[in-house]
Amino acid sequence: MIRRFDSLATRTAVVAVVGIVAVHLASLWTYQHAMERERHVAHTARLAEQLASVKRALALVPPAERENVAHDLSGGAIDAHWSRDPIAAAGRPLRPAEQSLVDEVHALVPELAPDDVLIGAGADPHLAVASLRLPDGSWANVRLFASPPQVDAGHGSVLSTSLMALGVLLISLAISAWLTRPLRAMAGAVARARADRPLAPLPETGPREVRELAHAFNGMQARIADLIRRRTQALAAVSHDLRTPMTRLRFHAEDVADRALRDALVADISEMEQMVEATLSYLRGESADEPARPIDLVALLDTIVNDAHDQGRDVTLDAPATLVVAGRLIALKRALTNLVQNALAYGGCARLELRQEGADAVLTIRDEGPGIPEDQLAAVMEPFVRLESSRSRATGGVGLGLTIAQAAVRSHGGTLTLANRPRGGLEVRVVLPKGRVETN
C-alpha cells in the first residue's frame, strides 16, 4: 500500500487534493455559519418591523376595532392580539436573540420606554411572546413563532467537494507527469547504461532544478570516465613493469647452483606472478567488453569437470542434457572454475548439480570440507579476504576467487550465496537468469 504513494506524481496529487478539499470544506463551513448569522439578523429585523407596524396600527384605531385590526395583521411568524394586560412577564433575563429584537424595536419606535417592550417565553419552546405598550396603557400582544430551520443542502456540498477533488486530482496528475518527465527520462537513461560502453550525456532540459541535476550528473559521469581511463592506463603500465622484472628474476633463479634455494626462489616468483595476475585481472574487470551470447551451461561445466578429472580430482556433475543461458563465456567460465577450484582446494571434492527453476538456471556446488564460520560468510566475498584457519597460503589463493566469481554472476543479473551444510562442508548456490544480461 505504501509503494502506491512512492512516486512524486502521486504524492503531489494527494497533497493537492487533501489541501484543496480541506480548504474547501473550511470555506463552506465558514460560509454557512456566516449565512446563518445573517439570516438570524434579517429575521430579527423583519420581526421588529412587524411588531412596530402592529403597535402603530393598533394605536391609530379605537379600542373596539383593535382586535380585528390585530387579527388582520397576523400571519407568518406572528399572531397579534390586543388586550388591557401584557401576556409577556417583565423581569426575566433576556437571551441575546431576544435582546437584539428589543433593540431593533426601540430603534424603529424610539418613543417606547424600556419597560414598554416585554419579551417572554411561551409554553412551547418554538413560541415566544412579545407585548408592546400602547399610548392609552393597553397592550399589543404578539405570539412569535420560530422560523423553520434552514435546510442544509449537504448533498450539494458533498457533490461540489467531490467534483472539485476529482478536478484537482486530474490536474495534479497531469502537472506532476509534466514536471517529472525529465526525471523519468534521466532514470531511464541511467538504467539503460551498460558497462561495456560509455553512458550517453543526459539531456539538460526541463525545470531549472532538473537541468542542474542533469548537468551535475554529466559532470560526474565525465570525471568517472576520466578516472577509469587513467586507471586502465596505470594498470597497463603496472602489468608491463611488474612482469618484466619478475621474468628476469625467474631467469636469474635458474642460475642458482643450490637446487633447494633455486626451487624456493622459483616458487616465490610463481606466487608473486599469480598474485599480480589475479589482482590485475580483478581490477581490470576483463570480461566487461565481452559480448553476450547463448551459452550451454552443461557443456561449459563438462569442460571444467573434465579438466579437473585430468588432474585426478574428485568432481561429479548432475545436470540435464542441455541448459542454455545468455551470458559471456569467458566471464562465466572463470567464475565457475574459481568456485570448483575453491571446493576442491578447501573441501577435497566438488559435487555439481545443475537444475532449471522457472526462468532461472540454478547451479549448486557442494564440498566436504570444514565450511566457513557463520560470521565470516559475508566477509569472504570481499576482495583479498582469506581465512587463515582453513585457507593457508600453501593453496596459492590470494582472496579474489569468490570476489571475481560474485562480480561475474552479478553482472549477469544473478546471485551467488554461500551456506554451511548441516553435515559439514560448504554449499555454493549460483542463480543465473536464462534470458537477461545486465552489465553493471
Side-chain angles (χ1 to χ4, degrees):
M1 182 64 180
I2 296 178
R3 294 179 63 87
R4 297 181 182 177
F5 298 93
D6 199 32
S7 68
L8 182 61
T10 305
R11 293 184 178 183
T12 301
V14 170
V15 171
V17 170
V18 172
I20 294 297
V21 170
V23 171
H24 184 57
L25 292 177
S27 64
L28 281 178
W29 180 86
T30 304
Y31 172 76
Q32 290 177 350
H33 277 260
M35 291 298 296
E36 186 66 18
R37 184 168 57 254
E38 291 298 326
R39 191 179 71 85
H40 282 293
V41 171
H43 181 64
T44 300
R46 186 170 60 253
L47 286 179
E49 291 176 356
Q50 290 178 309
L51 291 177
S53 298
V54 170
K55 185 266 177 189
R56 289 170 179 162
L58 295 184
L60 295 176
V61 298
E65 300 178 8
R66 288 176 179 172
E67 181 61 26
N68 293 331
V69 173
H71 183 271
D72 293 337
L73 295 175
S74 299
I78 67 172
D79 179 23
H81 297 276
W82 173 81
S83 66
R84 296 291 180 179
D85 300 312
I87 60 175
R92 183 180 66 85
L94 299 180
R95 291 174 293 185
E98 296 172 342
Q99 185 61 52
S100 298
L101 180 59
V102 172
D103 294 339
E104 289 287 341
V105 172
H106 281 296
L108 294 172
V109 190
E111 66 270 16
L112 290 174
D115 57 353
D116 288 345
V117 180
L118 305 177
I119 302 293
D124 189 341
H126 301 288
L127 180 68
V129 292
S131 297
L132 285 75
R133 191 192 305 271
L134 299 180
D136 61 357
S138 61
W139 294 83
N141 296 307
V142 180
R143 291 182 174 85
L144 305 174
F145 297 94
S147 61
Q150 187 75 15
V151 178
D152 184 17
H155 59 283
S157 300
V158 172
L159 178 60
S160 173
T161 303
S162 301
L163 291 176
M164 177 177 292
L166 179 60
V168 171
L169 177 62
L170 296 177
I171 295 175
S172 300
L173 290 176
I175 294 176
S176 299
W178 174 63
L179 292 176
T180 57
R181 185 182 305 160
L183 293 177
R184 294 196 303 272
M186 185 182 301
V190 175
R192 291 189 298 270
R194 296 172 59 93
D196 54 358
R197 63 170 180 257
L199 182 64
L202 298 177
E204 299 181 12
T205 59
R208 177 171 56 85
E209 293 80 4
V210 176
R211 295 198 306 272
E212 292 176 353
L213 177 60
H215 181 75
F217 188 89
N218 288 334
M220 179 188 67
Q221 173 183 285
R223 292 190 296 273
I224 292 175
D226 183 66
L227 177 63
I228 294 175
R229 180 181 59 81
R230 292 175 181 271
R231 190 196 71 167
T232 303
Q233 293 175 348
L235 288 175
V238 169
S239 176
H240 177 271
D241 293 344
L242 284 178
R243 285 193 179 99
T244 300
M246 283 191 295
T247 301
R248 290 199 301 265
L249 285 174
R250 181 179 291 276
F251 289 149
H252 293 321
E254 296 296 334
D255 296 333
V256 175
D258 189 336
R259 182 179 180 85
L261 179 59
R262 182 175 65 249
D263 292 342
L265 289 175
V266 171
D268 287 341
I269 294 172
S270 297
E271 183 176 353
M272 291 173 60
E273 289 176 339
Q274 181 184 8
M275 293 174 61
V276 170
E277 184 63 29
T279 302
L280 292 177
S281 177
Y282 167 69
L283 293 176
R284 282 198 306 265
E286 61 185 7
S287 64
D289 56 354
E290 182 187 358
R293 60 185 180 86
I295 297 174
D296 187 351
L297 278 182
V298 179
L300 177 59
L301 291 173
D302 276 334
T303 301
I304 298 174
V305 170
N306 291 333
D307 290 342
H309 285 164
D310 293 340
Q311 301 172 12
R313 311 307 299 269
D314 183 9
V315 183
T316 61
L317 173 62
D318 180 10
T322 182
L323 182 52
V324 178
V325 298
R328 295 180 299 274
L329 179 60
I330 296 177
L332 280 179
K333 183 176 182 179
R334 183 176 186 188
L336 299 180
T337 299
N338 285 353
L339 296 177
V340 172
Q341 292 298 327
N342 277 353
L344 294 174
Y346 310 126
C349 64
R351 306 288 181 249
L352 282 64
E353 180 182 345
L354 181 64
R355 293 288 183 267
Q356 178 176 338
E357 297 182 3
D360 297 328
V362 180
L363 172 65
T364 304
I365 304 175
R366 302 180 179 90
D367 62 44
E368 298 177 0
I372 297 176
E374 292 292 336
D375 59 347
Q376 296 293 319
L377 285 174
V380 295
M381 306 297 288
E382 299 296 327
F384 306 106
V385 174
R386 307 175 75 252
L387 302 181
E388 294 300 331
S389 61
S390 59
R391 268 57 166 167
S392 71
R393 180 67 71 179
T395 62
V398 295
L400 288 174
L402 289 176
T403 304
I404 294 174
Q406 183 183 54
V409 171
R410 284 182 174 177
S411 72
H412 287 75
T415 59
L416 188 154
T417 56
L418 306 179
N420 288 309
R421 301 173 62 192
R423 297 183 179 180
L426 187 69
E427 177 177 294
V428 181
R429 179 180 172 88
V430 177
V431 179
L432 292 172
K434 294 182 58 181
R436 177 169 59 92
V437 178
E438 298 177 359
T439 55
N440 295 327

